[in-house]
Amino acid sequence: MNIARNTFGLRLTDFGGINLGLTLDCGQCFRWKKLADGAWKGVVGSHAVRIIEDGEDLIFLGMSEDVFINTFYHYLDFDRDYDKALKRLSEDELLKDTIERYGTIRILNQEPWETLCSFILSSCNNIARIKGIIERLCALFGEDLGGGEFSFPSAERLAVLEPEDLDPVRCGYRAEYVIDAARKVAEGEIDLEKLKVTPLDDARRELMKIKGVGVKVADCTLLFGLGHMSAFPKDRHILRIAKSAYPDGLPECVKGLEGLAQQYMFHFQRTENGRRTAV
């Protein structure tokens, strides 16, 4: 990987590749938006950022090298060898074809509380509506970062609220679940940092002590916020392709990389070819 400073910010080259659109807008996070000029705008922690694709390079507008190294290097999972991981997944023909079609989809390392709260809000919802709910939540209870951008509110900030205080967010019955999660995290009943190193099944059971957190929300949190690459969230797309393409279980090459394989299976199943092949 090479990082070069220019008049716009940082230019990243030779980093192993990324399908930026599918990585940022595939349902693993909800705070990114593609602008009319092609840039991706988002908020990560206390940083509002814009990223531009320039061929195979990435340009981080207005970003310092310190911010990139301390925040975005890990966030975009640059410390993982994706060439090695995708080579292994490509031992399966369906995954090989899908990887060749989509390129490198990375698993984001998101802030654990934001991930948990976001996926509680995602339950029985569509992506456009989830993004609107989270945008309102951040504007009402997050810190003002300037330029109309807000940080994600901490568990401590939400823990002092009552469910009805979230009425302006328009998240419906999920408000009760968000407040319950915030209180359990803020009071230390659920230790998210500890769950990063807790065995997967035990960590899942801990998360499911929160009201409204079932297996799927727990597995999304484990994969996208707590670093458990073997978590395998299942929605209708994944259940459909698993049943049709892998009736005897996932192939051996997927072991330990189930979460990454899930992203490719998800996008395969959502394509026209996927629907024709896998239904």
Side-chain angles (χ1 to χ4, degrees):
M1 175 186 292
N2 293 317
I3 305 171
R5 181 131 199 103
N6 60 27
T7 54
F8 300 106
L10 297 180
R11 177 181 287 271
L12 195 66
T13 61
D14 299 326
F15 54 86
I18 186 172
N19 184 323
L20 192 62
L22 288 185
T23 297
L24 300 181
D25 201 32
C26 63
Q28 62 171 313
C29 58
F30 305 103
R31 300 210 66 196
W32 289 94
K33 178 181 180 181
K34 191 171 187 178
L35 304 178
D37 64 2
W40 286 90
K41 179 178 97 169
V43 178
V44 177
S46 60
H47 303 289
V49 63
R50 295 190 182 195
I51 306 176
I52 294 175
E53 290 180 282
D54 185 18
E56 295 183 354
D57 299 349
L58 294 180
I59 299 173
F60 294 78
L61 297 178
M63 184 178 291
S64 70
E65 188 168 344
D66 283 346
V67 169
F68 175 79
I69 293 297
N70 292 325
T71 300
F72 286 89
Y73 184 87
H74 181 62
Y75 179 78
L76 290 168
D77 209 24
F78 285 126
D79 37 14
R80 188 182 307 278
D81 186 341
Y82 272 82
D83 287 343
K84 181 179 179 181
L86 296 181
K87 181 178 179 180
R88 192 168 135 209
L89 291 183
S90 294
E91 293 172 17
D92 175 78
E93 282 302 314
L94 184 147
L95 289 172
K96 178 182 178 182
D97 291 345
T98 311
I99 289 165
E100 289 174 353
R101 182 187 308 174
Y102 291 120
T104 302
I105 302 173
R106 292 177 176 268
I107 300 295
L108 300 175
N109 291 301
Q110 300 175 69
E111 196 281 322
W113 160 247
E114 177 176 343
T115 310
L116 170 62
C117 186
S118 296
F119 279 100
I120 289 172
L121 292 169
S122 77
S123 180
C124 300
N125 227 335
N126 63 64
I127 289 179
R129 189 162 186 271
I130 298 163
K131 287 186 174 184
I133 289 171
I134 291 174
E135 184 176 1
R136 292 188 291 273
L137 181 74
C138 294
L140 286 167
F141 302 109
E143 295 182 11
D144 190 343
L145 302 178
E149 304 290 357
F150 299 86
S151 68
F152 197 92
S154 68
E156 291 74 15
R157 174 69 181 93
L158 297 182
V160 299
L161 304 178
E162 296 298 331
E164 54 267 28
D165 293 323
L166 298 188
D167 286 350
V169 176
R170 304 200 297 276
C171 60
Y173 67 87
R174 303 169 191 85
E176 179 184 356
Y177 304 156
V178 168
I179 298 304
D180 183 66
R183 289 173 180 171
K184 283 184 167 68
V185 170
E187 294 166 6
E189 182 177 345
I190 301 291
D191 185 339
L192 294 175
E193 287 301 312
K194 183 178 178 181
L195 294 186
K196 290 181 178 180
V197 294
T198 300
L200 180 65
D201 291 343
D202 294 337
R204 183 186 297 113
R205 280 191 289 270
E206 277 296 299
L207 290 174
M208 290 174 65
K209 292 178 180 178
I210 299 166
K211 290 180 182 177
V213 174
V215 173
K216 184 193 170 188
V217 169
D219 280 348
C220 287
T221 304
L222 290 164
L223 176 59
F224 303 126
L226 295 171
H228 285 271
M229 186 61 89
S230 25
F232 188 69
K234 302 180 185 75
D235 66 0
R236 61 189 175 87
H237 297 293
I238 296 302
L239 289 171
R240 190 175 297 155
I241 192 172
K243 181 179 179 181
S244 61
Y246 305 109
D248 299 321
L250 296 175
E252 182 64 24
C253 67
V254 165
K255 189 173 182 180
L257 295 170
E258 289 90 341
L260 182 57
Q262 186 260 11
Q263 288 289 282
Y264 286 98
M265 292 167 64
F266 176 79
H267 290 295
F268 173 86
Q269 183 61 33
R270 292 182 70 199
T271 65
E272 279 300 319
N273 183 56
R275 284 194 287 269
R276 287 197 299 269
T277 303
V279 170

